[in-house]
Amino acid sequence: MARADTLARARKLDRPDLAYIVRFASADGVKDMELTRTELAEAASWVSARLSEHGLSAGKRALITASGYEGFWVHPMIKGLGALRVPYGIAEGMGWDHRRAGVFQRELRPDAVIGLTAETLEGLAGAADLAETFRATSLILARPDALPVLRGAGVPAFAMTTVGPALALECPARAGAHVDSGAWRLSEEDGQLSIAAGEHRRSALAPTPLGIAGRVVTDRCACGNEDPRVLLAQADQR
């Protein structure tokens, strides 16, 4: 059977909307929740809007550093970049793949580096000066453990983190990392964050304490976004 015929028949098959089982740490242990293809598409649209606020647009280039188990946020990031017509490269977020990240940084010269980890930075710092490495990079979205390393080297960076199953991205106003209010409901009690499924979400998640120290800010951000913002204790360093 020709490949075209096979693909044509495959398109007629029932396609479950379930895309991922997301596993995340909570205050009471590991939790699982479903993530549908519809929710992924909505997340991609949200991510695209956030990246656009940082000035990413057609013709610019990006590097993503992530691990395979993080597909639940990598997929919307890839689709979001695609919607903006931004080509990208991917390197593993573990330290052993820092050389690939370094090659992309030198050869691709990305306008944005998304998801930088402290492990990647440790490897890169052994071969080059971090300030020089990222001098021409206009946007860096870094994990909480990488932020103090970058800022200590004089590299301006924005926070990118997961809050349980949710993705949080800091805006240009640097007033905290936004979380999609349609997908998630955030709350805090005694300085600890909790999360639940939002009204637009089809996958259920009851209010779940995460065991993450931080604050939730709900007033309108200076960037104009009304999505709530999280300020993590270890990342709230301006």
Side-chain angles (χ1 to χ4, degrees), residues 117-174:
T117 66
E119 288 187 46
T120 298
L121 290 176
E122 182 178 1
L124 292 175
D129 178 74
L130 289 179
E132 180 60 26
T133 297
F134 296 107
R135 180 177 58 82
T137 307
S138 58
L139 170 63
I140 298 175
L141 288 166
R143 319 295 182 104
D145 61 355
L147 285 174
V149 179
L150 288 166
R151 291 169 180 167
V155 179
F158 297 87
M160 191 208 86
T161 188
T162 53
V163 184
L167 178 63
L169 298 174
E170 192 170 27
C171 69
R174 295 184 181 275

Side-chain angles (χ1 to χ4, degrees), residues 49-130:
R50 304 289 77 74
L51 295 179
S52 179
E53 290 168 351
H54 280 286
L56 279 187
S57 58
K60 295 192 175 182
R61 299 176 296 274
L63 169 64
I64 301 173
T65 58
S67 297
Y69 69 89
E70 297 178 306
F72 67 96
W73 74 257
V74 175
H75 181 99
M77 188 66 67
I78 288 173
K79 294 297 185 182
L81 289 170
L84 295 174
R85 299 174 64 189
V86 174
Y88 64 90
I90 297 180
E92 169 64 50
M94 300 295 184
W96 51 261
D97 203 32
H98 72 272
R99 288 185 178 84
R100 188 201 307 262
V103 169
F104 273 122
Q105 187 66 22
R106 291 192 306 272
E107 303 298 330
L108 182 64
R109 295 188 178 276
D111 300 280
V113 178
I114 299 167
L116 267 180
T117 66
E119 288 187 46
T120 298
L121 290 176
E122 182 178 1
L124 292 175
D129 178 74
L130 289 179

